[in-house]
Amino acid sequence: MKYGIVIFPSKKLQDLANSYRKRYDPHYALIPPHLTLRDAFESDEPAEQITEKLDEIAKKYEPFNLTIRKVSSFQPINNTIHFKAELTDELRGLHQDLYDQLPGGEPEHPFVPHVTIAQKLSNDEHSDVYGSLRMLGVDHEELIDRFHLVYQLENGSWSAYETFRLGKDPQ
Amino acid sequence: MKYGIVIFPSKKLQDLANSYRKRYDPHYALIPPHLTLRDAFESDEPAEQITEKLDEIAKKYEPFNLTIRKVSSFQPINNTIHFKAELTDELRGLHQDLYDQLPGGEPEHPFVPHVTIAQKLSNDEHSDVYGSLRMLGVDHEELIDRFHLVYQLENGSWSAYETFRLGKDPQ
């Protein structure tokens, strides 16, 4: 089974991200807007076993502020345009723990927490879209108190398996 | 905010449902395959308040078997073709509690638990598709130990807010 671990931010931020994703992100229909804490990984462990580890990780961290003040791009690595989140101790710690305590190896890139709003653009499209989105800008803050374990269906879309509330004792 | 309460069944059943939904269900990209426990309802209550009520309801019920042995249709009411689930005490109780204890009024129809695989078909399409799906049949059983609170984004898709595990004390 292919798992991922993500934060689904507030409806407000998801709606804003979708207003761009609709045109610029071919993954638009596969998963709602999200901030990836742990990239997709294959595991034969049943979801219940992964859940136990995630319960333990979730209770180590208190709810924290997600602050987004910038539209950014991963160019030249790729053409993904995103809302860049400020890196907090909680985000850094969650990301680290989710790699240390789950199977599937090390992160491929340094952790840049973000919500994708455009990807798989040609270079020309990227220049155009990035230029206009950067001018529009973004200024958003919200409290994050949970993350989600999701898994991928055969059609490429993602289904939510379980929610983990930060700072709470597991059920 | 528009909320709904659903069961997301196993990956196996979701993949099977999607193999039909892809062609026959225009809601295919809006939400993964699901069994609706409580139809969509508008509420100004914040999600946290609804969550408290759902925690209480979830712990009243133990995990239960979901049994699906039949492809069925809601004709003549509408042309929705679905995997019909056998009605258990737990499904009946959950459905009743979710209407009694949440805002938004009474159910519009008697409760027929199901996973939709085709909808909004013309009458001719319905006859064709229903004929062939009924012949293929379905025979599935699994343990259900959770349900989900989801809410609708502006684009019509649904985002998962929280999971509730049956028979567990709330966090």
Side-chain angles (χ1 to χ4, degrees), chain A residues 105-118:
Chain A
E106 286 301 295
E108 282 181 55
H109 310 288
F111 182 45
V112 180
H114 66 277
V115 176
T116 294
I117 54 177

Side-chain angles (χ1 to χ4, degrees), chain A residues 138-154:
Chain A
V138 57
D139 187 9
H140 179 87
E141 204 165 312
E142 69 177 83
L143 189 72
I144 297 297
D145 64 354
R146 67 192 59 223
F147 62 83
H148 291 78
L149 173 63
V150 297
Y151 62 85
Q152 193 168 32
L153 300 177
E154 292 306 315

Side-chain angles (χ1 to χ4, degrees), chain A residues 1 20 24 42 50 54 57 61 82 96 103 106 141 147 153 157 165:
Chain A
M1 195 111 97
Y20 304 119
Y24 305 125
E42 282 286 350
I50 293 178
L54 296 182
I57 293 172
Y61 298 90
H82 53 272
Q96 190 64 51
E106 286 301 295
E141 204 165 312
F147 62 83
L153 300 177
S157 70
R165 297 196 218 167

